């Protein structure tokens, strides 16, 4: 087997921990890409991998992504990620969670964990019995932290407004046509905020009842998931799955702007260039969807430092997302480099690797 530090995804990780706890059966990888800006923060994925190298690749790729995301969110946090390798039945026991919590604690705050695929808020509470270095714990109503979905949606709404101002020269969303994919926690929030400003929405979800309910709430139209990407609109807002923008779908887009919260929207990096060649303004996903990480990041930093952040602090930081996006689009126009690549370059500069 080739050494993993020669793999493309290695990208100069600062530290990678292989954790094995014989008694509980825990096997995990904790990857710290960068602590240049602060503790490496990123969720823990509980997954059954076909082989250990697939788990390592996932940890390295996701951890670098968190470095970029946290840097562009303006948080004093670096990027990391953990994966817990589960068996085929995805067995996850309290003993494994405790052993994982101890492994996180042994890193003395260099790594801060959070929920990711396969984890629940309850699991995070279990882990927090062993370590304080956990984001996304339950909080009292009105406090910073808790469900990140509404704050992710708020950032996306502001990002869509910035894109509409930048590309269409419009100060608000009155009459702007938005095609929205995914009517869950994030998509539903974006749709409600946009509709309250007069946007005209078409929404879709593979759960048709969910789409119809949302359409009824906002006075929009529910359309089929197959039609949403090619429907004529000003803004296509993807808020469901990732990897949806590729050489097959990009030519069918019928919009001026792509701006939504789904993670990893570009199937491959070159698809950002394809969007730019079609003259479509793209809001890099990890920049526009940062509201949630800002929420849970501030929750952790406030708890760690004994100085809780206020809702005003949170709103102010989410309010900086439009300026960051506009800076990306300007640099993209000046350099001819696609917006996603400009965002990566900005993030690399922020983590001292420019
Ligand atoms: P969710 O599970 O609440 O909602 C997702 C919705 O998408 C569901 O209603 C699902 O039925 C629908 N869906 C799935 N496949 C679809 C398809 N092919 N076409 C149309 N609809 C489809 O999830 P969420 O929390 O709203 O997250 C949505 C996206 O945003 C995900 O990619 C997530 O990774 C990303 N994201 C979420 C947050 C957050 O704070 N929740 C933060 C950053 C990024």
């Amino acid at each position: 087997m080739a050494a993993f530090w020669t793999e493309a995804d290695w990208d100069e990780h600062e530290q990678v921990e292989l954790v094995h706890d014989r008694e509980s059966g825990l096997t995990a990888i904790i990857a710290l890409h960068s602590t240049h800006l602060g503790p490496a923060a990123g969720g823990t994925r509980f997954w059954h991998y076909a082989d250990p190298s697939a788990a390592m690749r996932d940890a390295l790729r996701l951890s670098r992504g968190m470095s970029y995301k946290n840097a562009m969110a303006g948080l004093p946090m670096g990027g990391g990620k953990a994966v817990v390798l589960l068996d085929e039945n995805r067995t996850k026991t309290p003993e494994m969670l405790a052993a994982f919590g101890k492994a996180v604690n042994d890193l003395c705050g260099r790594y801060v964990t959070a929920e990711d695929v396969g984890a629940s808020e309850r699991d995070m509470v279990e882990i927090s019995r062993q370590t304080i270095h956990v984001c996304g714990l339950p909080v009292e109503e009105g406090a910073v932290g808790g469900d990140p979905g509404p704050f992710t949606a708020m950032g996306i709404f502001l990002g869509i407004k910035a894109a509409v101002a930048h590309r269409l020269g419009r100060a608000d969303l009155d009459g702007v046509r938005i095609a929205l994919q995914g009517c869950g926690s994030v998509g539903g929030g974006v749709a409600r905020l946009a509709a309250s400003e007069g946007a005209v929405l078409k929404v879709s979800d593979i759960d048709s009842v969910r789409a119809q309910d949302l359409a009824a709430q906002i006075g929009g139209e529910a359309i089929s998931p197959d039609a949403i990407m090619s429907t004529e609109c000003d803004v296509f807002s993807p808020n469901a799955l990732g990897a949806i923008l590729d050489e097959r779908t990009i030519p069918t887009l019928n919009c001026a702007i792509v701006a939504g919260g789904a993670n990893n929207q570009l199937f491959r990096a070159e698809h950002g260039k394809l969007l730019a060649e079609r003259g479509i303004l793209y809001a890099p996903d990890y920049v526009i969807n940062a509201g949630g990480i800002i929420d849970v990041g501030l929750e952790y930093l406030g708890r760690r430092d004994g100085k809780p952040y206020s809702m005003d602090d949170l709103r102010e930081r989410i309010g900086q997302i439009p300026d960051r996006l506009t800076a990306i689009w300007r640099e993209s126009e000046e350099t001819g480099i696609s917006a996603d690549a400009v965002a990566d370059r900005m993030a690399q500069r922020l983590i001292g690797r420019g």
Side-chain angles (χ1 to χ4, degrees):
M1 187 178 103
F4 57 75
W5 53 86
T6 60
E7 287 193 15
D9 291 321
W10 173 248
D11 192 38
E12 294 184 43
H13 268 67
E14 284 179 18
Q15 185 177 355
V16 177
E17 292 269 319
L18 301 174
V19 183
H20 182 64
D21 178 66
R22 195 167 177 198
E23 270 174 35
S24 63
L26 171 82
T27 304
I29 300 167
I30 304 178
L32 310 189
H33 180 253
S34 168
T35 56
H36 182 79
L37 293 171
T44 299
R45 182 162 287 193
F46 291 80
W47 200 246
H48 170 66
Y49 289 92
D51 66 78
S53 8
M56 179 60 81
R57 270 197 302 277
D58 220 15
L60 295 175
R61 195 176 45 82
L62 294 166
S63 148
R64 176 182 49 198
M66 288 311 300
S67 274
Y68 290 6
K69 180 167 185 158
N70 293 340
M72 291 301 278
L75 285 170
M77 290 178 131
K81 199 87 184 185
V83 297
V84 173
L85 288 75
L86 298 182
D87 63 17
E88 282 171 8
N89 301 320
R90 310 236 171 112
T91 314
K92 183 174 57 173
T93 63
E95 292 75 19
M96 284 163 72
L97 293 170
F100 179 71
K102 284 188 190 127
V104 171
N105 203 47
D106 286 348
L107 288 164
C108 302
R110 274 173 63 74
Y111 172 59
V112 184
T113 196
E115 218 176 298
D116 192 66
V117 175
S120 66
E121 193 178 82
R122 235 187 16 247
D123 295 339
M124 291 299 120
V125 172
E126 201 69 36
I127 291 168
S128 75
R129 293 187 209 284
Q130 309 297 331
T131 182
I132 61 156
H133 304 300
V134 183
C135 295
L137 294 175
V139 292
E140 280 170 28
E141 196 158 331
V144 168
D147 177 11
F151 299 102
T152 303
M154 186 192 292
I156 296 163
F157 165 67
L158 296 174
I160 290 175
K161 284 180 60 135
V164 164
H166 189 82
R167 176 50 56 90
L168 307 176
R170 307 266 306 263
D172 59 36
L173 297 186
D174 194 20
V176 171
R177 298 162 304 159
I178 300 178
L180 183 125
Q181 181 181 52
C183 303
S185 163
V186 172
V190 173
R192 281 184 284 272
L193 288 166
S196 71
E197 219 179 72
V200 178
L201 280 117
K202 287 186 182 168
V203 301
S204 83
D205 199 294
I206 46 169
D207 178 342
S208 59
V209 175
R210 217 171 213 194
Q212 276 152 17
D213 283 352
L214 181 64
Q217 268 176 47
I218 59 173
E221 184 188 346
I223 68 169
S224 129
D226 296 337
I228 195 77
M229 286 186 81
S230 56
T231 196
E232 191 183 348
C233 59
D234 300 305
V235 182
F236 167 59
S237 184
N239 297 286
L241 302 180
I244 51 153
L245 298 167
D246 60 20
E247 59 276 1
R248 192 179 49 84
T249 57
I250 292 172
T252 69
L253 291 171
N254 205 349
C255 59
I257 294 161
V258 173
N263 277 317
N264 304 320
Q265 291 164 30
L266 302 174
F267 184 64
R268 282 196 301 273
E270 71 252 31
H271 295 120
K273 210 166 153 221
L274 202 55
L275 278 174
E277 281 164 9
R278 279 218 50 208
I280 295 172
L281 187 72
Y282 175 60
D285 43 26
Y286 65 86
V287 182
I288 195 171
N289 74 14
I293 190 75
I294 297 174
D295 174 42
V296 297
L298 294 189
E299 172 243 319
Y300 165 74
L301 293 168
R303 189 161 31 83
R304 185 196 64 179
D305 301 340
K307 284 190 218 147
Y309 284 86
S310 68
M311 275 295 163
D312 287 345
D313 295 326
L314 174 59
R315 287 209 178 86
E316 191 184 321
R317 283 173 184 259
I318 293 175
Q320 291 162 4
I321 290 175
D323 287 348
R324 271 188 209 111
L325 288 168
T326 306
I328 290 168
W329 295 322
R330 291 213 176 110
E331 189 171 321
S332 171
E333 284 152 11
E334 281 158 18
T335 59
I337 297 170
S338 59
D340 59 302
V342 168
D344 287 356
R345 280 172 30 147
M346 282 184 173
Q348 282 157 3
R349 288 200 290 271
L350 288 170
I351 63 170
R353 300 188 187 184

